[in-house]
Each structure stands twice: as C-alpha cells, then as structure tokens.
C-alpha cells in the first residue's frame, strides 16, 4: 500500500501535572476524535493554560467498562488515526497521539464518586455525547435516591462508596440523574454551578440539554423551587455544532495501523482529517479553554451553523444509507459514488435542503453564499474511501435521526409548498430497508426497534401492490416519529408513490425519476399540517420521554462503540 504516514507523538509531560476541568459523558469514538483532539492541540500550544482543562470520562452503561479498561491499560493515551484518499491502495495516514484524557469512572461501579467529581469546584464543564435518544431517558429510582443523598450531604463523604454505603438502585442512575444530583450538591454547598455542554447532533442542543435538566428537576420532588430557579438562571447550556466523521474501529483498521505505522493499539480512533467545532460562547463565569486558538469558532449564536451542518450533512447521510443499502452496497464511499445515488443526493441537497436554508430569514448571508461549496465539501468527504464508514452504522437509530433532524425540514418545505420528493424517496427507502430486515430476520439497530419493526411484522406475508403498502401505512401512522406528518395526506401519498415505484420499477428507475423530476408531484393540500401544528413542533419534542425497547440486552449495542450513550456520527 502506498500513501504517506505521519505521526504526532503525545505531549511529553508529567501526567501528574494535568488536572480535570471537564467531565464528559459518552466516551466513544467521536468524542475521542473531536473534543479531545481540540483540547490536545491546545495543550501542545500552551501547556500551562490548558493543563487544568483535561478530561475525566464517565460511563453509565455496563459495556462502557470495555472502553475504561482499554484506556486504563493505555495509561489513558490513545491514537487518533486520520486517513484520506479515493484509492484504497493509496491512502495518506496521520497518527495523532492524545493525552488529555486523565481517567474514566463507571457510574454503576461508584455513583457517589461520580457525583463528588461533578460537584468538585475544579469541574467547570460537563459535556455530553449521549446521542439523540439519551436526552429522552426518564429519571429512575436510582436517580431519585441519589438526589435525596445529595440534598442530605451524604455524598460529600469521600469514604462513601458502592455498594456498601448506598442503595443498590443508585447503580442504575442515568446521565441527567447524576448531573442533577451533582448540581443539587453544589447548590447546597454554595458553590458556583458547572456549564452543561451538549456535543450531540441535535438542533439547538444547548436548549435541549437545558430543558432536559430543568424539566427533570421540576418533576423530581427532591428539587425545591430555589434549586429549580438556580438551574435555570445560573447554569449555562451553550449550544455547539460538531463535525468529524468517525466510524467504528474494525480489526482491519487495527492491523493497518500496526503494519503501516508500527503502532500496536487495541482501539485506535479512525476518522477523516476534517474537523469542525462551533461553540456558543456562554459559559458559567466565562470559564472555558481557549479552543478558538486551535480552530474552534466561538460565536454568540450557533443556530445557523448547526442548521447548515445537520441538514446538509446528517440528513443527507441518513438518506444515502437507505438507498445505498437497497442498492446492495456496504460503505458510504460506495454509495456516494454510485451513478444514480450521487445525483439524487445532490438534487435533494440543493433543491430541498439548501432551499430550506435559503428560505430561513435567520441564515446569515455569508453562510448562504457558500452553500454550493458546502454541498461539494460534504459529498467529497463522503467519497473518502479511507474512512470506510458503513451504511449499517449510519442507519442506526434512524427513528431518532429522522425525528430530530429530518422532520422539521419536511414540515417547512410543505408549509412553503416546496417539493419534498427527495425526502419522500428517503423515507420510502427507509421503509423498504426495515421491511427487508424484518423479512430476513435481522435485528434493527434502533433505540425504538419495536416501534419501527411492528408494521413490517404484520406485513411479512403480504404480496402485490395493495399488500405491499399495508406495512407502509402502519409505519407512516407512527406519530412518535412522524409527528403531524402522520396525518398529512399529501406527504403520505408522496411516500407511498416512491415506495411502490421502488417495489415495482426498481431502485434505479425510481432514483432516475427523482433526479430528473419526472413522473410525480409530491405536494398536496397543506391544511392538515396547519391544523395539527399545536400538537408537535417539528423539532425535538423536549417534553417526551421513553424507554428503549431492549436497552439492557441489545447485543449490537454492547459490541459497537456507537452505542446508546456514544455519539453515532459527526
């Protein structure tokens, strides 16, 4: 194999000189390739200024022990491996060795220790990559017991540990239960709060995190009015936009790193060279690392940047994975270079997604001026064969991704009587993907797997044009995913037409029709959408909670670092 190999070795320092200023929930591939990379860059640039802003990670699920054990065995160092190329035999590789992660705690082993760490005055920021679903997990019995103990001051005792001294239910504490308990302890002790910083792919993720914390507190009898007001007025919840494609690490990746760079590592992070971070500059007492010195963009309003990225990259990613899977492909780079899929994606991006951005009066002119360049950038990044990102990985948790990323765009387009044909084909392909997985007896990798598979279980025996839509009708009825679109007849008919075209004419013919805009008109009467607006926002429904169908037992989650509490994609 040809291609250059370069290496940036870990900062030479005494690990005892590094201290924790940030605690992070969700230590997976994406966090290690993104936020840690920026902080490590800052440590190299100005060691004295950055040394107190290192990370301690927290895992809340049993399989997080694998990550903790790997990192501990590595003395908390690990390599970020950025590869690039369009030829699998000629990939450039750069290895960046990171040392800004100091430790990792597991809340189910010692929740009291996690709360004490979060409540410590040295912890200034608590950051999150827990996926879209992570913000909807309700507080449980263990969370409420932790809150009681935090209010009583019991958790302040450094000698207190699990399981001897506190209720075993606390081992099942959730992310927001632990955060609330720590904030309650800080409030009781008269300490300043920490900043809660979401780094997940959610529109308005800072507001999502804020609403989750405050609503959970208001629903918890252990939180009084004084604490609730403090959480709303004193805690800061900056929004962020994060971007770096980071697929799960494969055995072949591990072998490639050893062969080409001579590095024998059990869990390197594989990613693309590109990374981007936009952060709302709103931190408690202004306390934060100077990330802007190493390429992050600190701004007063993240929304235009996140809107552009989430819609043009993440929504396109999802649309691509289902049509790519139906075409029999395995990897993202194969799908984006397919003769029919690439022009379909470009049309979806320019005529539907970019059009929604142009129609948004809050989008600044400087971002609108580079929309075409950004479309080209996204597609070129997807073509990077070195990333080896799989369509199956991108397809994971499709229900949450559509709900928080795609649904709003469709509603906006329908309200303006714009075409949604590309989106209809995206959802029709997703429906076929689910239908085929169920018929083949394969497991759906989705936090709401039971919800999205039920329509196709009853569809298994159906044949013919009429029978083919039985499962589809039930699928489109799911209001938890489609919101008001479940009652929009024009939208439903548009999806049905694309679904039947795929079934009867084949995927390529259906893509061809969408590329050239022939055969269908995907719009219809919009009045049903307007009548239903009061029931759903079209964005992230912040007051909804649910429990995953098999969150404790899904083997695919236990073995994949893109699990429930790890960001799925950049």
């Amino acid at each position: 194999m040809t291609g250059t190999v370069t290496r940036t070795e870990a900062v030479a320092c005494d690990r005892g000189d590094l201290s924790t200023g940030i605690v992070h929930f969700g230590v997976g591939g994406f966090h290690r390739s993104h936020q840690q990379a920026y902080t490590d860059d800052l440590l190299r640039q100005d060691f004295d200024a950055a040394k107190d802003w290192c990370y301690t990670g927290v895992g809340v699920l049993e399989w997080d022990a694998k990550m903790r054990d790997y990192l501990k065995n590595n003395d908390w160092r690990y390599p970020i491996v950025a590869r690039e190329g369009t030829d699998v035999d000629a990939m450039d590789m750069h290895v960046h060795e990171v040392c800004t992660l100091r430790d990792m705690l597991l809340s189910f082993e010692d929740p009291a220790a996690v709360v004490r760490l979060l409540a410590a005055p040295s912890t200034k920021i608590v950051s999150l990559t827990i996926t879209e679903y992570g913000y909807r997990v309700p507080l449980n019995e263990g969370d409420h017991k932790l809150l009681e103990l935090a209010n009583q001051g019991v958790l302040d005792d450094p000698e207190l540990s699990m399981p001897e001294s506190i209720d075993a239910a606390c081992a099942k504490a959730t992310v927001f239960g632990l955060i609330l308990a720590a904030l309650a302890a800080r409030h009781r002790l008269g300490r300043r709060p920490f900043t809660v910083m979401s780094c997940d792919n959610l529109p308005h993720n800072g507001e999502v995190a804020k609403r989750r914390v405050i609503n959970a507190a208001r629903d918890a009898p252990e939180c009084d009015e004084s604490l609730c007001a403090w959480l709303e007025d004193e805690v800061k919840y900056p929004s962020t936009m994060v971007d770096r494609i980071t697929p799960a690490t494969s055995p072949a990746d591990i072998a490639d790193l050893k062969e080409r760079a001579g590095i024998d590592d059990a869990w390197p992070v594989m990613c693309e060279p590109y990374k981007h971070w936009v952060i709302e500059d709103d931190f408690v007492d202004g306390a934060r690392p100077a990330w802007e010195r190493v390429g992050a963009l600190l701004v007063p309003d993240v929304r235009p940047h996140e809107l552009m990225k989430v819609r043009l990259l993440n929504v396109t990613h999802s649309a691509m994975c289902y049509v790519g899977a139906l075409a029999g492909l395995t990897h993202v780079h194969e799908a984006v270079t397919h003769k029919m899929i690439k022009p379909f994606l470009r049309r979806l991006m320019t005529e539907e997604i970019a059009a929604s951005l142009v129609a948004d009066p809050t989008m600044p002119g400087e971002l609108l001026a580079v929309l075409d360049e950004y479309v080209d950038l996204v597609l070129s990044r997807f073509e990077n064969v070195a990333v080896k990102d799989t369509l199956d990985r991108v397809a994971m948790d499709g229900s949450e991704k559509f709900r928080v990323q795609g649904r709003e765009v469709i509603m906006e387009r329908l309200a303006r009587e714009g075409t949604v044909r590309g989106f209809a084909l995206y959802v029709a392909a997703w429906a076929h993907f689910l239908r085929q997985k169920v018929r083949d007896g394969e497991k759906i990798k989705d936090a709401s797997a039971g919800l999205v598979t039920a329509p196709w279980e009853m569809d298994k025996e159906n044949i013919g044009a009429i029978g083919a839509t039985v499962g589809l009708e039930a699928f489109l009825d799911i209001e938890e995913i489609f919101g008001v679109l479940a009652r929009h007849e024009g939208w439903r008919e548009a999806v049905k037409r694309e679904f039947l075209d795929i079934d009867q004419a084949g995927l390529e013919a259906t893509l061809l029709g969408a590329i050239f805009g022939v055969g269908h008109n995907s719009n219809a009467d919009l009045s049903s959408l307007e009548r239903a607006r009061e029931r759903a926002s079209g964005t992230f429904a912040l007051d909804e909670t649910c429990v995953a169908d098999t969150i404790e037992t899904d083997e695919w989650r236990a073995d994949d670092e893109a699990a429930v509490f790890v960001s799925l994609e950049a």
Side-chain angles (χ1 to χ4, degrees):
M1 181 180 289
T2 60
T4 63
V5 177
T6 55
R7 181 174 179 177
T8 301
E9 295 189 0
V11 174
C13 66
D14 184 339
R15 298 282 284 167
D17 291 338
L18 306 178
S19 60
T20 295
I22 309 172
V23 177
H24 184 82
F25 285 92
V27 181
F30 176 70
H31 168 68
R32 292 193 293 146
S33 80
H34 190 272
Q35 297 101 61
Q36 292 281 356
Y38 279 94
T39 306
D40 194 80
D41 285 343
L42 190 59
L43 191 71
R44 295 170 188 280
Q45 187 181 100
D46 189 340
F47 183 87
D48 288 336
K51 66 181 181 180
D52 295 329
W53 286 110
C54 292
Y55 287 82
T56 290
V58 176
V60 301
L61 301 173
E62 289 185 4
W63 49 82
D64 286 325
K66 292 182 179 180
M67 180 63 73
R68 190 275 310 272
D69 293 346
Y70 154 75
L71 290 167
K72 186 175 182 179
N73 290 338
N74 266 28
D75 192 27
W76 309 106
R77 293 179 169 90
Y78 65 88
I80 297 174
V81 184
R83 297 182 300 185
E84 187 173 27
T86 56
D87 183 347
V88 72
D89 294 319
M91 297 187 295
D92 294 333
M93 172 190 290
H94 179 70
V95 182
H96 176 155
E97 297 181 53
V98 173
C99 71
T100 45
L101 184 60
R102 296 187 60 252
D103 196 1
M104 183 172 174
L105 305 182
L106 301 175
S107 63
F108 52 86
E109 288 186 350
D110 196 345
V114 172
V115 173
R116 282 196 298 275
L117 173 65
L118 294 170
S122 56
T123 297
K124 305 296 186 183
I125 299 171
V126 174
S127 55
L128 312 168
T129 49
I130 58 175
T131 80
E132 298 92 336
Y133 175 77
Y135 297 81
R136 299 174 63 206
V137 178
L139 297 190
N140 60 31
E141 178 188 357
D143 295 321
H144 290 289
K145 289 187 179 297
L146 273 182
L147 275 167
E148 288 179 13
L149 296 172
N151 287 333
Q152 295 164 5
V154 174
L155 300 180
D156 299 348
D157 182 0
E159 300 301 317
L160 186 70
S161 63
M162 274 284 289
E164 297 84 2
S165 306
I166 60 177
D167 195 293
C170 295
K172 294 186 179 295
T174 67
V175 170
F176 285 101
L178 292 159
I179 287 174
L180 266 181
L183 286 169
R186 292 175 83 119
H187 181 252
R188 178 181 51 78
L189 293 166
R191 293 175 183 165
R192 295 291 291 149
F194 49 69
T195 295
V196 178
M197 183 175 69
S198 171
C199 297
D200 282 296
N201 282 315
L202 295 168
H204 335 298
N205 58 13
E207 182 63 22
V208 170
K210 180 177 182 177
R211 289 281 301 279
R212 184 70 192 100
V213 169
I214 292 170
N215 287 349
R218 287 174 177 163
D219 291 341
E222 301 84 5
C223 298
D224 60 23
E225 281 301 317
S226 173
L227 175 58
C228 290
W230 186 77
L231 294 173
E232 185 153 11
D233 298 336
E234 299 298 327
V235 181
K236 300 298 183 182
Y237 308 85
S239 286
T240 67
M241 187 282 285
V242 296
D243 192 0
R244 192 172 205 178
I245 297 173
T246 309
T249 303
S250 71
D253 294 328
I254 295 170
D256 184 50
L257 179 62
K258 184 175 181 178
E259 178 183 346
R260 299 187 64 200
I263 298 174
D264 190 2
D265 189 273
W267 208 339
V269 182
M270 316 305 294
C271 61
E272 62 175 338
Y274 179 91
K275 68 181 188 292
H276 193 193
W277 197 6
V278 184
I279 308 167
E280 181 185 1
D281 198 0
D282 185 26
F283 291 76
V284 174
D285 302 326
R288 63 167 178 80
W291 284 308
E292 70 274 19
R293 294 175 59 183
V294 288
L297 185 63
L298 276 292
V299 298
D301 184 9
V302 170
R303 183 182 178 276
H305 300 270
E306 75 178 13
L307 205 62
M308 185 168 164
K309 182 264 177 177
V310 167
R311 292 188 176 184
L312 283 171
L313 190 145
N314 293 101
V315 174
T316 303
H317 224 184
S318 293
M320 173 180 55
C321 75
Y322 300 119
V323 294
L326 291 186
L329 306 175
T330 301
H331 292 98
V332 166
H333 67 266
E334 295 170 332
V336 80
T337 54
H338 186 278
K339 62 181 179 181
M340 294 295 183
I341 296 176
K342 185 172 184 177
F344 160 67
L345 294 176
R346 185 176 289 279
R347 185 176 178 106
L348 171 67
M349 295 170 81
T350 57
E351 295 201 5
E352 298 182 31
I353 300 175
S356 75
L357 299 174
V358 171
D360 189 323
T362 68
M363 287 294 293
E366 59 267 26
L367 289 183
L368 293 178
V370 297
L371 278 179
D372 289 343
E373 293 176 31
Y374 192 76
V375 168
D376 291 337
L377 172 65
V378 167
L379 292 174
S380 68
R381 289 169 62 196
F382 288 167
E383 290 179 13
N384 185 358
V385 68
V387 173
K388 291 186 179 179
D389 203 1
T390 65
L391 299 172
D392 269 354
R393 185 197 75 88
V394 179
M396 289 168 59
D397 282 322
S399 61
E400 284 297 302
K401 291 177 182 178
F402 179 85
R403 183 174 175 271
V404 303
Q405 297 170 359
R407 194 170 79 186
E408 182 177 18
V409 195
I410 298 167
M411 293 175 67
E412 289 179 10
R413 295 290 293 157
L414 289 171
R416 294 187 173 98
E417 300 189 32
T419 180
V420 292
R421 182 170 182 181
F423 275 102
L425 203 162
Y426 155 18
V427 172
W430 179 22
H432 271 287
F433 172 86
L434 293 169
R435 181 192 192 198
Q436 193 59 52
K437 289 282 187 182
V438 170
R439 291 189 172 190
D440 291 345
E442 296 184 32
K443 199 165 192 175
I444 299 295
K445 300 177 181 180
D446 195 302
S448 299
L451 198 63
V452 298
T453 56
W456 311 106
E457 291 290 346
M458 61 182 177
D459 175 78
K460 277 183 178 179
E461 307 304 321
N462 291 316
I463 57 174
I466 296 176
T469 61
V470 171
L472 179 66
E473 296 286 359
F475 179 57
L476 296 177
D477 282 341
I478 303 175
E479 291 197 23
E480 292 91 335
I481 297 172
F482 293 102
V484 298
L485 295 175
R487 301 181 298 283
H488 190 287
E489 290 306 317
W491 162 252
R492 293 175 67 102
E493 284 302 310
V495 177
K496 184 177 178 179
R497 284 193 294 264
E498 303 298 336
F499 183 88
L500 288 175
D501 265 10
I502 294 172
D503 203 45
Q504 296 165 9
L507 178 66
E508 289 201 3
T510 307
L511 287 170
L512 194 63
I515 293 165
F516 291 102
V518 297
H520 295 156
N521 181 338
S522 293
N523 297 325
D525 174 50
L526 306 178
S527 60
S528 60
L529 179 65
E530 296 303 321
R531 285 197 302 269
R533 266 190 193 279
E534 293 183 1
R535 290 192 55 195
S537 67
T539 58
F540 195 82
L542 299 172
D543 57 345
E544 297 181 27
T545 58
C546 67
V547 179
D549 299 317
T550 53
I551 195 168
E552 297 290 346
T553 59
D554 274 353
E555 293 179 2
W556 65 268
R557 293 187 181 281
D559 295 331
D560 198 315
E561 64 180 303
V564 176
F565 286 89
V566 181
S567 187
L568 298 180
E569 62 179 83

